[in-house]
Amino acid sequence: MDLLIPSTGLLFWMTITFLVVFFLLRKFGFPVITSMVKERQAFIDDSLRKAHEANERLANIQKEGESILQEAREKQAQILKEAADTRDAIVEKAQDKARQEGARLLEDARMAIEQEKKAAIADIRKQVATLSVEIAEKVLRQNLKDDKAQMDLIDRMLDEVSNDK
């Protein structure tokens, strides 16, 4: 039975030892342990707060990134539209210039053709006149071989001149 019921002396010394250990722990151990627990709790709370702030910042950054991407897409679309408009304007201007240049070249060609035509007509007239004079000269030489034929021709010409007046 001694095992189940301790003796009073042992109980007294165990109580004194317990109180001394409890007092020492309360004086020196528990404050250190509680301060460490409070520090750990503060560290965990601070880490949670920082993690929450980081998540909020990340969400904000994602929103900003999406808005920047949207803005970049809009600017890209605007730049592409402006480039297409500029390209169309340049193409239209080049076509107009080509039409004007074509019309000018066509007009120059017409003028050159007209000048060549006039020159050709003048040359043909000159050749016809020269041929006519040569033919007339040959005909007159044949018809006016003798003096009588020459006198008849002179009389006819004088009659024609006097009848015209």
Side-chain angles (χ1 to χ4, degrees), residues 7 24 52 116 161:
S7 67
L24 287 175
H52 182 66
E116 289 291 324
V161 170

Side-chain angles (χ1 to χ4, degrees), residues 20-111:
V20 169
V21 170
F22 181 73
F23 176 76
L24 287 175
L25 281 176
R26 188 167 181 209
K27 181 78 174 164
F28 300 109
F30 289 141
V32 173
I33 291 171
T34 55
S35 69
M36 287 176 63
V37 168
K38 285 181 183 177
E39 286 177 16
R40 182 72 177 154
Q41 183 181 2
F43 177 75
I44 290 172
D45 289 342
D46 189 45
S47 295
L48 287 173
R49 183 182 51 78
K50 286 181 181 177
H52 182 66
E53 288 175 2
N55 282 336
E56 287 178 359
R57 277 192 238 151
L58 181 61
N60 288 339
I61 289 172
Q62 286 176 340
K63 287 179 185 176
E64 288 176 15
E66 289 172 7
S67 67
I68 289 172
L69 282 175
Q70 183 62 28
E71 186 178 325
R73 286 185 192 116
E74 290 172 1
K75 283 186 180 180
Q76 178 187 19
Q78 180 182 3
I79 289 171
L80 289 175
K81 184 181 179 293
E82 289 174 0
D85 291 344
T86 303
R87 180 201 64 215
D88 292 343
I90 290 172
V91 167
E92 187 175 331
K93 187 176 180 180
Q95 288 174 342
D96 287 344
K97 191 171 183 179
R99 279 189 214 108
Q100 290 173 354
E101 184 66 19
R104 186 188 64 79
L105 289 174
L106 188 60
E107 187 60 31
D108 289 350
R110 282 184 189 149
M111 290 174 69

Side-chain angles (χ1 to χ4, degrees), residues 4-23:
L4 293 176
I5 300 174
S7 67
T8 29
L10 182 60
L11 193 57
F12 173 76
W13 287 113
M14 281 178 61
T15 305
I16 296 281
T17 306
F18 176 74
L19 289 174
V20 169
V21 170
F22 181 73
F23 176 76

